[in-house]
Amino acid sequence: MAALLNFPGDDEIRLRGMFCSHFMDSSLFLSLAPTVDVCYSSWKRSRVTAPSIIGEELMKTAPLLKKQLTCCSIDALPDECLFEILRRLPRSQERSIAACVSKRWLMLLSNIQPSEDMDVVQKGENLLRSSRKPLPDLNYPEPLVSELNSSIESGGYITRCLEAEEATDVRLAAIAVSNSSRGGIGKLKIRGGNSTCKVTDAGLSAIGRGCPLLRVLSIWKVPLITDAGLAAIADGCPLLENLDLCQCPLISDKGLIAIAQKCPNLTSLTIDSCSSICNDGLQALGHGCSKLISISIKDCPLVGDKGVSSLVAHASSSIMKIKLQNVNISDVTLAVIGHYGKAVTNISLNALQNVSERGFWVMGNALNLVNLTSCTISCCPGATDRGLEAIAKGCPRLKMMCIKRSPNLSDAGLKSFTGPAKMLERLQLEECNGITLVGVFESLLNCCSRFRGLALVKCLGIKDISCHLEELPTCMSLKYLTIRDCPGFTSCSLSMVGKLCPSLQQIDLTRLVGVTDAGILPLLECSQSELVKVNLEGCVSLSDASISSLVKAHGSSLKFLSLKGCKGITDRSLLSISANCSVLKDLDVSCCSISDFGVAAIASAKQLNLRTLSLAGCAEVTKKSLSFLEKMKESLEGLNLQQCKLINTHVVGSFEEKLWWCDILS
């Protein structure tokens, strides 16, 4: 045999069959077992290396074997075999390390079902065998508490938020694998985009398998996710409580039915612009999710009375918040809400074109909305005088009412509404052009003693009236008044308001171009309480005289003052503010006629501790003001220097370094 192999000595290796150039590769040696037979003496050690006995001529006779030998990697195994290996990794730390090898390993690890997890099975067996606390493994220390707390919200949930290009299947799989030792994440938000988001059912399925403790799931603008992905969440996340779906066109009733069947703890549901969702899914949620507290359905064209009515009726014992916007419901749904809504506290109805006056009337006269405290009705043609009166009578605990874009509401309806609403505290009217100032005054006098706030926004019917001040009684309860973007409201009407409401604490007169000093001064003279917040943004007709009178009378209580866009305001107003205001925290003098002198006066006031200051658009403020503003560094948290053309960016950059804790806009 020695002569045949041309190898001297007795310590030979006898081989029969085909040869291997990588003899020391044990994995290949085992794979060639049927064709290679190697024998050697048990008391002799081989002194032969593979290259000395393998020739090129023999390799030419086995091209298939050569190709196999050059691919000696574990990745040559099929997915089924590699999956069996990976699922036997004993620790979650090792799995996290293995997931970093390649995307293929990561996706295979994310496909491990809890029932297939050998680590979980082994832990269960050990728990049955012994109840003793195991010794810690020093080779695998637990993560630091600070590292854990950095990703845990106040509610105890580990949260992740993926946006735009970050949202991919690989990223979701990595999140599922890396957090599997802690039961996965508890809150997941995916903010995609119709053109950039690449999340599919595969990524969502990985979350379903690896995050059994998931409670909050929010998916926005993810066009590739289908019912299969949502079903995977339902299978693996039975503790789901909050589901938010926005612009997911491929999710239909099948996905909602899966959630309804396997997520009984669902308490909050939001469906926005999901064009494939119909009534069947909502019906299933009503039957399967008896703990629903909040529902919001918006811009879903296939949703109608059948789905919403069934959902409300079956979840009547728990549901508290209802928001419906631009869905094809009719008077039937409002009647169901009125009949079954004993637990409802908040209702928002927006753009319901098929609901008539009868729907609102029936909802109120059902007399079951006994716990309703907040109601918003916007852009609903059926919101008329008769319907609002029925709501006031049928909702004895109503505290806040907001009515927007309701042209059919008149002064008579407003008066008939405020009369029965004995608990009403706040009323907001926006773009209700049928309401006049006479109706507002009558309603104020008709309100109960709990009434605190009134807001009139973009109401074109609010115009000056001719009335003697002596004929108007007072409304002592009103504390907060907002009159915004009402071009017909001028100083004449404002002086009446001062006489009617002497207890105001907050005033918002944004963009009332007709208000002048002649209206502000009587308002201040009639005031019997201390003003805390005053917003005069866009009141271009005001001068320094109004501001001086304001701060002299209320400087000890004023905390917020906005003079943005008041071009008649100069450094004199800032001098008055610095001399009279002691508790002012927020000051906005953007686009006013102030200069460095006024800024110096504010910065030098020892009693002032401004938190935020806006000088945006002040054309006369230069870089000299920066040295004055530096004196306010102990209290200043926010500073706006945008569009200050005389302050260059280089100077602002060095200034930001000195006030690094302050949020500076430039």
Side-chain angles (χ1 to χ4, degrees):
M1 180 63 71
L4 180 62
L5 294 176
N6 193 22
F7 189 84
D10 295 330
D11 298 336
E12 73 272 17
I13 295 181
R14 301 170 175 84
L15 299 95
R16 183 176 72 248
M18 303 182 69
F19 300 98
C20 175
S21 61
H22 300 283
F23 177 75
M24 298 306 294
D25 191 339
S26 60
S27 63
L28 292 177
F29 177 78
L30 294 175
S31 65
L32 298 177
T35 57
V36 179
D37 185 10
V38 180
C39 303
Y40 54 90
S41 303
S42 60
W43 62 89
K44 293 286 186 180
R45 180 175 57 84
S46 171
R47 296 177 298 178
V48 182
T49 57
S52 64
I53 61 174
I54 302 298
E56 294 182 1
E57 185 176 0
L58 289 176
M59 291 303 300
K60 291 179 180 179
T61 62
L64 296 178
L65 178 61
K66 182 178 180 181
K67 183 177 180 180
Q68 180 182 2
L69 296 177
T70 56
C71 299
C72 53
S73 170
I74 191 173
D75 281 328
L77 294 174
D79 288 347
E80 293 81 1
C81 297
L82 187 57
F83 177 83
E84 290 297 324
I85 295 174
L86 294 177
R87 80 183 184 93
R88 284 168 169 78
L89 290 175
R91 299 176 184 273
S92 58
Q93 292 92 338
E94 283 140 346
R95 292 184 183 180
S96 298
I97 295 173
C100 299
V101 173
S102 65
K103 291 182 179 179
R104 182 192 177 200
W105 285 36
L106 171 61
M107 299 309 293
L108 286 174
L109 284 166
S110 68
N111 276 277
I112 298 176
Q113 299 281 0
S115 59
E116 300 171 331
D117 193 338
M118 295 301 293
D119 188 24
V120 173
V121 173
Q122 186 64 34
K123 287 179 180 179
E125 293 177 355
N126 293 339
L127 187 61
L128 292 175
R129 291 174 184 172
S130 174
S131 60
R132 292 179 299 174
K133 184 177 180 180
L135 295 175
D137 190 343
L138 299 180
N139 293 322
Y140 297 96
E142 291 295 326
L144 295 176
V145 175
S146 59
E147 296 176 354
L148 291 176
N149 292 338
S150 63
S151 61
I152 297 179
E153 289 188 339
S154 59
Y157 297 158
I158 303 175
T159 181
R160 292 290 184 272
C161 182
L162 305 182
E163 297 185 3
E165 291 79 5
E166 283 186 331
T168 61
D169 289 340
V170 173
R171 188 69 182 272
L172 289 176
I175 290 174
V177 173
S178 61
N179 293 280
S180 60
S181 62
R182 289 172 278 176
I185 59 177
K187 186 175 183 179
L188 174 63
K189 295 181 180 179
I190 304 175
R191 299 291 187 265
N194 292 331
S195 59
T196 59
C197 185
K198 300 179 181 178
V199 172
T200 66
D201 293 336
L204 211 58
S205 298
I207 294 295
R209 285 186 291 266
C211 303
L213 301 182
L214 186 68
R215 285 177 168 83
V216 180
L217 176 63
S218 180
I219 307 175
W220 287 14
K221 297 182 180 180
V222 185
L224 301 180
I225 287 182
T226 67
D227 294 327
L230 202 58
I233 292 293
D235 290 335
C237 309
L239 302 180
L240 189 67
E241 297 175 357
N242 191 321
L243 179 62
D244 184 358
L245 303 175
C246 178
Q247 296 188 27
C248 300
L250 299 182
I251 293 181
S252 67
D253 289 338
K254 293 181 180 179
L256 294 185
I257 292 174
I259 294 291
Q261 292 175 346
K262 299 182 179 180
C263 300
N265 294 324
L266 193 69
T267 59
S268 178
L269 173 68
T270 300
I271 303 174
D272 185 355
S273 303
C274 295
S275 56
S276 298
I277 291 179
C278 304
N279 295 317
D280 294 341
L282 297 181
Q283 283 184 300
L285 288 171
H287 286 281
C289 303
S290 59
K291 299 180 181 180
L292 267 176
I293 296 177
S294 173
I295 61 171
S296 176
I297 305 173
K298 176 183 177 182
D299 295 329
C300 296
L302 300 181
V303 172
D305 290 323
K306 184 179 178 181
V308 179
S309 299
S310 178
L311 180 60
V312 172
H314 286 92
S316 60
S317 61
S318 62
I319 194 164
M320 299 175 63
K321 297 181 180 180
I322 300 176
K323 182 178 180 179
L324 302 175
Q325 178 175 339
N326 195 21
V327 290
N328 294 323
I329 62 172
S330 66
D331 299 338
V332 174
T333 297
L334 263 62
V336 171
I337 293 175
H339 183 74
Y340 291 96
K342 292 183 179 180
V344 175
T345 60
N346 297 74
I347 290 180
S348 178
L349 306 174
N350 189 9
L352 304 180
Q353 302 300 321
N354 297 328
V355 175
S356 66
E357 179 187 75
R358 182 182 180 183
F360 289 98
W361 185 87
V362 174
M363 184 177 72
N365 279 285
L367 303 179
N368 281 328
L369 294 174
V370 293
N371 290 309
L372 185 66
T373 59
S374 176
C375 180
T376 300
I377 301 175
S378 176
C379 198
C380 295
T384 61
D385 297 345
R386 188 183 179 194
L388 293 180
E389 182 182 2
I391 292 176
K393 292 180 179 179
C395 307
R397 297 186 181 180
L398 187 63
K399 295 181 179 180
M400 196 283 288
M401 187 68 182
C402 179
I403 307 173
K404 301 180 181 180
R405 300 179 184 178
S406 298
N408 297 324
L409 181 63
S410 67
D411 291 340
L414 184 60
K415 184 177 180 181
S416 63
F417 171 79
T418 54
K422 300 301 182 182
M423 302 285 287
L424 189 66
E425 296 179 1
R426 293 177 181 268
L427 175 63
Q428 178 178 346
L429 302 175
E430 183 174 340
E431 296 187 44
C432 298
N433 297 328
I435 302 297
T436 67
L437 205 55
V438 174
V440 172
F441 287 164
E442 291 179 349
S443 299
L444 285 177
L445 302 177
N446 200 25
C447 288
C448 65
S449 59
R450 296 175 178 268
F451 192 68
R452 295 289 184 272
L454 173 66
L456 305 174
V457 181
K458 298 181 181 179
C459 295
L460 300 182
I462 303 298
K463 300 178 181 179
D464 289 341
I465 58 174
S466 57
C467 182
H468 298 289
L469 295 178
E470 291 78 12
E471 299 177 0
L472 289 176
T474 58
C475 178
M476 299 299 297
S477 63
L478 190 66
K479 304 295 183 183
Y480 318 113
L481 176 65
T482 297
I483 305 176
R484 185 185 304 166
D485 294 314
C486 297
F489 189 89
T490 66
S491 294
C492 179
S493 301
L494 188 59
S495 61
M496 292 185 184
V497 171
K499 185 71 175 180
L500 181 66
C501 309
S503 302
L504 293 176
Q505 295 179 357
Q506 297 184 13
I507 302 176
D508 185 351
L509 305 177
T510 301
R511 289 182 291 274
L512 297 184
V513 295
V515 171
T516 63
D517 297 340
I520 291 290
L521 296 177
L523 176 68
L524 297 176
E525 292 176 359
C526 297
S527 178
Q528 299 179 10
S529 64
E530 296 181 339
L531 289 175
V532 177
K533 182 177 181 180
V534 177
N535 188 351
L536 301 174
E537 177 184 344
C539 296
V540 295
S541 301
L542 294 180
S543 68
D544 293 327
S546 296
I547 307 306
S548 298
S549 299
L550 171 64
V551 297
K552 287 179 181 179
H554 303 278
S556 60
S557 61
L558 194 62
K559 295 182 179 180
F560 175 93
L561 177 61
S562 176
L563 304 173
K564 181 179 180 180
C566 299
K567 298 181 180 180
I569 302 303
T570 66
D571 294 336
R572 292 182 180 180
S573 295
L574 296 186
L575 286 172
S576 298
I577 291 173
S578 61
N580 296 282
C581 293
S582 57
V583 294
L584 190 65
K585 299 299 181 183
D586 298 276
L587 176 62
D588 189 348
V589 289
S590 302
C591 301
C592 293
S593 302
I594 64 172
S595 64
D596 297 332
F597 181 75
V599 177
I602 290 293
S604 302
K606 296 181 179 180
Q607 78 279 8
L608 268 183
N609 291 300
L610 282 179
R611 185 176 55 193
T612 61
L613 174 63
S614 179
L615 303 172
C618 294
E620 300 179 18
V621 174
T622 68
K623 62 181 181 181
K624 295 180 180 179
S625 295
L626 298 181
S627 59
F628 304 133
L629 293 172
E630 191 175 348
K631 299 178 181 179
M632 306 169 61
K633 60 184 179 180
E634 294 183 359
S635 63
L636 203 61
E637 299 176 2
L639 178 63
N640 190 350
L641 298 175
Q642 291 179 322
Q643 299 178 1
C644 292
K645 298 180 181 179
L646 298 181
I647 303 178
N648 57 54
T649 55
H650 175 71
V651 176
V652 174
S654 59
F655 179 71
E656 289 178 349
E657 294 179 359
K658 297 179 181 179
L659 275 72
W660 55 268
W661 62 89
C662 182
D663 186 10
I664 301 177
L665 299 178
S666 59

